[in-house]
Amino acid sequence: QKNFDDWLTNLKTESAYKLMKKSKLYVSEPNKIAGGLSAREESFMSNIAERLPLIGRVVKASSRSYTAYLNKLRVDTFKSLSNKFIKEGTDPATSPKVFEDLADFINTATGRGNLGQTLNRATPLLNNIFFSPRLIASRFNMLNPGWYAKQSPQVRKEAIKSFAELVGFGATVLTLAKAGGADVELDPRSSDFGKIRVGNTRWDTWGGFQQWVRVFSQMVSGVRKTTNTKELIPLSAKKYPFETRLDVAGRFLRGKLAPVPSLALELLEGQKLFGEELSLSGEVLDNIVPLYLRDM
């Protein structure tokens, strides 16, 4: 905790800090009372788990580690690219939009997308409904050509280059996996699109981008591809299994719900999203145990 606090204190004495704040680069300060929940990272919007006996200290350490990593990543990237822009002749005093766009790009690329002025203020409320709304916004923005068009030329170049590197690296991983004997689905209309599959185990390396591409492809084509039989299912209310684009959109949005509203829907239906059996005790346990412990 002392190292975490010292890093934040030292950051505020740096000459670049004023430009970061003016450009609205997000630096999380979870101990800042005035900031409330908006001063915390979305994955840790509540400190209730930190108060639990024994496990609370582990949760707090995990939150601190996660926040510290993202803070340093954002700060280091901003300093590197802002210094590059300044050396190329861009003055922060006369071209503030360039540095505001740079901060917006870094925030978005690290999962803190801009929801717009009105919704940004309502983020703590939205977190009660959706799981990480800013992350949802960030993934949508980075796949949206209109978002790139709004950026300053220098920032647009860096954003496109960064995303191209992500796609190139991901494609390389998939190619190597396929060469090693794994099953890789290349049809974007399938739920397995871009995933590495070995038996019944799947790895999704795309960090939330795959879902948007899949849903968009299904909505545009009006067809869904099954994962087991590879059958093409038309999205039509007149043809079996009578699924529509609205059903696809509904499943996608439901998958973005926060744990509490998602659990409420499952209890009302008596089954989980994909038809698995539902038990109240099991669901309560699933929603209390931290995700990384469940994964292990």
Side-chain angles (χ1 to χ4, degrees):
Q1 184 67 51
K2 184 179 183 302
N3 290 338
F4 180 84
D5 294 336
D6 288 348
W7 184 87
L8 277 173
T9 301
N10 293 332
L11 172 66
K12 294 176 182 179
T13 65
E14 294 186 18
S15 57
Y17 182 71
K18 186 176 180 180
L19 179 59
M20 292 178 199
K21 296 302 289 182
K22 184 179 179 182
S23 303
K24 298 183 175 124
L25 180 74
Y26 182 73
V27 178
S28 178
E29 297 185 56
N31 298 323
K32 184 178 177 183
I33 298 175
L37 290 178
S38 61
R40 302 169 65 91
E41 290 291 351
E42 278 191 322
S43 294
F44 295 92
M45 286 299 284
S46 169
N47 61 2
I48 293 176
E50 295 177 6
R51 300 174 184 173
L52 295 174
L54 300 178
I55 198 174
R57 297 188 61 171
V58 177
V59 173
K60 187 173 183 179
S62 175
S63 172
R64 184 168 59 241
S65 174
Y66 177 86
T67 300
Y69 171 74
L70 283 175
N71 276 349
K72 183 157 174 44
L73 177 63
R74 290 173 182 138
V75 167
D76 288 353
T77 306
F78 185 89
K79 287 196 291 189
S80 175
L81 290 177
S82 62
N83 288 336
K84 176 184 176 183
F85 293 165
I86 291 171
K87 287 180 182 178
E88 291 173 349
T90 304
D91 187 349
T94 57
S95 304
K97 185 180 183 301
V98 173
F99 298 89
E100 290 170 5
D101 288 347
L102 174 59
D104 180 46
F105 159 55
I106 294 171
N107 291 341
T108 300
T110 54
R112 195 167 182 87
N114 190 345
L115 293 162
Q117 189 171 355
T118 303
L119 290 179
N120 280 342
R121 291 197 295 266
T123 299
L125 175 62
L126 289 174
N127 265 284
N128 293 323
I129 303 172
F130 296 102
F131 188 86
S132 297
R134 284 187 180 273
L135 177 63
I136 296 172
S138 75
R139 296 307 182 242
F140 175 78
N141 286 341
M142 295 210 73
L143 289 168
N144 178 15
W147 180 80
Y148 291 89
K150 293 178 182 178
Q151 306 301 318
S152 303
Q154 300 100 310
V155 177
R156 186 186 308 124
K157 177 182 176 182
E158 295 296 333
I160 292 174
K161 182 172 71 173
S162 176
F163 195 73
E165 288 174 353
L166 170 69
V167 174
F169 179 79
T172 301
V173 170
L174 294 179
T175 301
L176 291 172
K178 190 171 182 63
D183 183 23
V184 176
E185 176 62 72
L186 300 179
D187 191 331
R189 297 171 297 181
S190 170
S191 296
D192 279 344
F193 169 65
K195 295 179 182 178
I196 300 168
R197 178 175 175 177
V198 179
N200 289 325
T201 303
R202 294 166 173 81
W203 288 270
D204 180 3
T205 63
W206 295 103
F209 288 107
Q210 183 265 6
Q211 301 167 0
W212 287 96
V213 175
R214 169 177 54 80
V215 169
F216 181 77
S217 300
Q218 291 178 351
M219 298 285 277
V220 170
S221 66
V223 174
R224 177 178 67 85
K225 186 176 182 179
T226 61
T227 55
N228 292 325
T229 64
K230 311 294 184 182
E231 181 183 359
L232 296 177
I233 306 293
L235 298 176
S236 172
K238 298 178 181 180
K239 297 180 180 179
Y240 181 82
F242 312 111
E243 291 185 14
T244 65
R245 288 177 171 87
L246 183 61
D247 294 319
V248 171
R251 279 196 299 267
F252 177 72
L253 290 175
R254 182 170 170 178
K256 299 298 180 186
L257 289 177
V260 172
S262 177
L263 176 58
L265 279 178
E266 289 173 351
L267 290 173
L268 287 172
E269 286 193 339
Q271 65 178 19
K272 296 176 74 68
L273 178 58
F274 295 105
E276 305 99 313
E277 290 186 11
L278 181 71
S279 69
L280 183 58
S281 59
E283 290 305 302
V284 170
L285 186 63
D286 275 351
N287 281 276
I288 290 178
V289 177
L291 293 174
Y292 60 87
L293 291 180
R294 286 170 54 189
D295 288 345
M296 287 191 286

